[in-house]
Amino acid sequence: MKKKNSTFEVPEYFMMKGLYESTKYLFYNFSYQQGKFTMVYDKNDKTIKTYDMEVVPFTLSYINEDNELIGFIEAYHIEDWENRGLLPEERKKSLKNKDEMDNPVIVIGKLKN
């Protein structure tokens, strides 16, 4: 193994980053072949969806008892979204003074039941 950017590069293996559970979902964060992904398992429907976290660079840190996802997005990703026209209008005003070198933005999202 060789060290690269504070993580170990092992492209032939999945590297687990975190496992989180709510009443309805399991969230599994992992890296594979230089990419970051989140797998969402719906316990009721028994379905799995996988999301490329390079496209939506949200880092999940916690799920609370109110089914809220808590995590963060690096400031430079927000600036990139704005430059590409992907930042929602309702968020532009609150994030207009955000600089790419600022602290990450804490994100709280409510899961649907």
Side-chain angles (χ1 to χ4, degrees):
M1 270 192 247
K2 68 178 182 177
K3 194 169 183 177
K4 180 180 179 186
N5 296 335
S6 304
T7 60
F8 291 96
E9 183 181 333
V10 187
E12 64 270 18
Y13 299 104
F14 289 90
M15 300 297 288
M16 182 175 169
K17 301 290 184 183
L19 180 63
Y20 306 92
E21 183 174 17
S22 73
T23 53
K24 187 176 176 189
Y25 300 101
L26 284 174
F27 296 86
Y28 176 67
N29 294 339
F30 63 95
S31 294
Y32 180 68
Q33 294 184 344
Q34 312 278 322
K36 295 178 184 176
F37 303 90
T38 294
M39 183 269 320
V40 180
Y41 174 71
D42 185 317
K43 295 178 191 179
N44 296 331
D45 298 341
K46 298 188 180 348
T47 57
I48 296 173
K49 293 182 182 173
T50 302
Y51 299 92
D52 182 345
M53 299 315 282
E54 299 298 326
V55 175
V56 181
F58 170 73
T59 301
L60 177 60
S61 300
Y62 185 73
I63 298 174
N64 67 20
E65 291 131 12
D66 294 326
N67 278 332
E68 293 174 326
L69 301 176
I70 300 168
F72 64 91
I73 298 175
E74 297 291 344
Y76 68 89
H77 287 299
I78 293 171
E79 187 169 303
D80 179 52
W81 283 355
E82 185 169 20
N83 292 339
R84 295 186 314 165
L86 301 175
L87 191 62
E89 274 305 315
E90 62 271 14
R91 299 291 174 241
K92 285 184 181 180
K93 184 177 179 182
S94 62
L95 296 169
K96 75 176 186 174
N97 294 325
K98 197 86 185 129
D99 181 77
E100 70 178 29
M101 297 306 290
D102 285 348
N103 289 328
V105 173
I106 303 297
V107 176
I108 301 173
K110 182 80 171 164
L111 291 172
K112 296 179 182 179
N113 287 326

